[in-house]
């Protein structure tokens, strides 16, 4: 009988949320040591240890920024944080002894890789079968390629990101008008139907799996806000018409320290009565939810027990640390069984897939082993076939079924 560890290690993952791009997007698919080092997780950590003022940091080239991050986090101190250890895991998995090379040598190594075989190798080392991208019509860099069309790499699936639409309607409305949608700034039936037309067009164009938005801790629903109105009159009807779940990423406070740019976002406790209200009032809509704050994880699990149209996924960003993955995943297994998706990578750089999934697998093994051992002690021994089924379900299978509406 194969061990649980080898089943978890060998089961391929369908990664349900990343910031990676189909290789057709060229330089938008980040890769290599400099992108690994200027990852915003590391920039925020380095900002605490670097002597360089932030203005000078942002004015410098990516390579110079990477040099500073490397020096602060890997040379002057031991890289013990989760994000730093991630870089070490990546280099190791690629066969590079991280301490034996300086940054110029690491750069040369990455530059020598042939992009498509490097992509294949990374996916293989990460044990990842497919990744879901984050695709925004509001992103001027990616929109033109979608409009033009391109041969898709089937390993890169799409999801429609709509943050500006919901969170910044007054500035988004003129953009929609410039794209030919007859919306006004006011909340009218015409505006709602034109937003639905935009969502339908983009869902078809990118072959979207779900629609997604990140929301601040004080997001309320129902409420007299543009976001709540658009959700009720455009996003939810669109979801029902097109079978698209709505992914809510709850609890992000954007720009807590704007000087840190992308690294400057923070966290707050979300008001989960909004989630409860959404699930209760819209039984024909499906909601995918991940939460940034540790403090609301238990409440979210209890809501999920009440609403089969809610699927929890991932230990998002600040909760993607071994200690919190362990705690949150145990809690979810104990209260939801296997009806959730423990992790997504949120990878921004191709090679992140390696560390995010290796570290997740390391966490999942003892958590699931304990549940199976407790179950065996109570008189139910899980077979190898059943373990494989459960692991495949947890590593993307359950999410896929929920998204397709097949079963929950
Ligand atoms: O909103 C999101 O999808 C977040 O994941 C990002 O905004 C965030 O910057 C991130 O990369 C977290 O892992
Ligand atoms: Zn993300």
């Amino acid at each position: 009988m194969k061990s649980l560890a080898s089943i978890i290690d060998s089961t391929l993952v369908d990664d349900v949320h990343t910031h990676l791009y189909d290789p057709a997007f060229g330089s938008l698919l980040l890769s290599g040591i400099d992108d690994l080092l200027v990852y915003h997780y590391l920039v925020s950590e380095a900002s605490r240890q670097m002597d360089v003022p932030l203005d000078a940091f942002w004015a410098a080239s990516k390579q110079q920024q990477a040099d500073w991050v490397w020096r602060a986090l890997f040379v002057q101190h031991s890289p013990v944080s989760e994000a730093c250890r991630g870089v070490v895991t990546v280099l190791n998995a690629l066969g590079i002894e991280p301490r034996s090379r300086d940054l110029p040598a690491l750069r040369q190594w990455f530059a020598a890789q042939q992009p498509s075989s490097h992509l294949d190798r990374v996916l293989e080392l990460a044990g990842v079968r497919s990744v879901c991208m984050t695709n925004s019509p509001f992103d001027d860099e990616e929109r033109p390629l979608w409009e033009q069309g391109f041969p898709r790499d089937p390993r890169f699936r799409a999801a429609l990101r709509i943050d500006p639409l919901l969170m910044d309607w007054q500035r988004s409305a003129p953009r929609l008008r410039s794209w030919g949608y007859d919306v006004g700034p006011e909340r009218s039936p015409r505006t709602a139907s034109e937003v639905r037309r935009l969502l339908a067009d983009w869902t078809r164009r990118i072959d979207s799996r779900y629609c997604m938005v990140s929301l601040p801790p004080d997001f309320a629903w129902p409420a007299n806000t543009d976001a709540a109105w658009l959700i009720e009159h455009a996003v939810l009807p669109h979801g029902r018409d097109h079978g698209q779940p709505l992914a809510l990423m709850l609890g992000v406070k954007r720009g807590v320290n704007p000087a840190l740019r992308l690294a400057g976002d923070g966290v707050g406790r979300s008001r989960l009565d909004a989630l409860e209200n959404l699930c209760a009032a819209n039984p024909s809509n499906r909601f995918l939810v991940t939460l940034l704050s540790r403090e609301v994880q238990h409440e979210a699990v209890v809501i999920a027990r009440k609403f089969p149209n809610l699927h929890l996924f991932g230990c998002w960003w600040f909760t993607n640390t071994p200690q919190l993955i362990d705690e949150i995943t145990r809690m979810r297994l104990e209260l939801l069984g296997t009806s959730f998706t423990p992790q997504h990578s949120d990878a921004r750089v191709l090679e992140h897939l390696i560390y995010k999934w290796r570290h997740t697998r390391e966490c999942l093994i003892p958590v699931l082993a304990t549940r199976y051992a407790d179950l065996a002690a109570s008189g139910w021994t899980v077979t190898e076939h059943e373990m494989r089924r459960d692991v495949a379900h947890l590593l993307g299978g359950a999410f896929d079924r929920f998204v397709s509406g097949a079963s929950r």
Side-chain angles (χ1 to χ4, degrees), residues 17 19 39-41 161 214 249 254 316-317 346 348:
H17 168 60
H19 296 265
Y39 184 30
H40 67 78
Y41 289 28
R161 185 76 181 232
S214 70
M249 308 186 70
R254 298 288 179 196
W316 180 25
W317 195 350
D346 237 308
R348 278 185 181 263

Side-chain angles (χ1 to χ4, degrees), residues 15-21 131-138 142 146 152 156-163 199 202-213 238 244-247 249 288 313 399 403:
D15 193 340
V16 304
H17 168 60
T18 75
H19 296 265
L20 301 177
Y21 289 89
V131 299
C132 192
M133 305 178 279
T134 296
N135 303 109
S136 172
F138 296 89
E142 67 167 306
W146 286 118
R152 295 280 296 268
F156 289 76
R157 302 160 96 182
L160 181 60
R161 185 76 181 232
I162 56 167
D163 291 30
L199 296 173
W202 276 91
T203 296
R204 276 192 288 267
R205 180 171 289 138
I206 71 175
D207 189 18
S208 174
R209 301 181 70 206
Y210 57 87
C211 193
M212 68 191 310
V213 62
H238 164 76
Q244 293 272 299
L246 176 60
M249 308 186 70
L288 296 157
F313 72 96
F399 191 94
V403 166

